[in-house]
Amino acid sequence: MQKLNKKSNFFILYLLLAIVFFEAAASGAVSISFHDMLAAFRHWITNSQFQHIEENVFIQIRLPRVLQVMLTGMVLSVSGVLMQGLFRNPIVEPGLVGTSAGAAFGASLVFVAGDLISIPVKNALGPMLVPFAAFIGALAASMAVYYLARKTHHLSIISLLLIGIAINAVGLSATGFMSYLARDPQARSITFWSLGNFSGATWTQVGITAVVSMICLAFSFRLTNQLNILMLGEDNAAYTGVDLERLKKKVLLINAVVIAVVTAFAGVISFVGLITPHIMRLLIGSNNKILLPASMLGGAILLTLADLAARSLLVPAEIPVGIITSLIGAPVFIFLLKKMNLFNA
């Protein structure tokens, strides 16, 4: 595919992001006009009383949800770029090192064994109990992969890949076992959470996700040069002075933290981190300096469209967004593999 002008591509991505944002903010059980959005912003900033129910819905429900979706899409896609760059493998996704499976086990443990948690802990965490458990599970799985794959002072990419697959299997099996032990409502909660959902998005979640994501994204941009050099191979990268062990640690740490945060709040969402970097590579090339910001925008657009479809297709019911991303992502991924002739590689 002929690569278009870089500025034109970014202009199109920003334009699409703006269109998708307003469409997602306006659509739903309550339709919200652009005029209502502006009025809601004005009353919110001036601390005035909302004049219409649409303004209240926009500020309290719709806006935090759309922002949380966009942040999650950005984070998943950037993690995909980092992990694919580190592994030099186009079929790697952020959850490869067990992060998502660990989060799913942490959440399922709370759903099934929540009664065993002390009342003071429940009261202290409140609605953050499940996200907190998912966050701990995600970090624990990532740390297990790191330490099991590490040999003395060297972290082998192949070992990391294989241990990641094993820890993923353990996490999924443990979550399946929790589902087996669960009563009907608990099993339903585990299934619903595992398929991804943004219906409970709050301003607190948006604030936490935004702060953590922006810090990690800032560090991610500083790694793009080294990831570009790593594309030439580990030996060549080492000859040019890249500290490979530090680079691996940084990428894994960033991936673990941001994926743990977004998964804790939204559940497991597949394929966004896998296919977005591929689509952006076809449009703008493989230079990570450009690929990273392009994937941020692309991931936000893709996941917002998926969430919009999830809450629009079966109104008033809502489909878990992970089902939509998998339904869209799998065929797109197969198409991209054929496009890049990876089946014959």
Side-chain angles (χ1 to χ4, degrees), residues 23-24 27-29 62 65 69 192 195-199 266 268-269 301-328:
E23 181 61 29
S27 304
R62 201 68 59 73
R65 176 172 185 148
V69 171
F192 199 67
L195 292 173
N197 189 275
F198 289 98
S199 61
V268 179
I269 299 173
I301 293 168
L302 184 65
L303 192 55
T304 305
L305 286 173
D307 183 60
L308 187 58
R311 53 191 170 92
S312 305
L313 292 177
L314 293 178
V315 174
E318 184 173 322
I319 305 170
V321 69
I323 293 177
I324 303 294
T325 57
S326 297
L327 280 174
I328 298 171

Side-chain angles (χ1 to χ4, degrees), residues 141-151 155 159-160 163 166-167:
S142 300
M143 289 176 65
V145 171
Y146 175 78
Y147 283 106
L148 288 172
R150 194 163 177 255
K151 295 176 182 176
L155 183 63
S159 298
L160 198 62
I163 296 290
I167 294 293

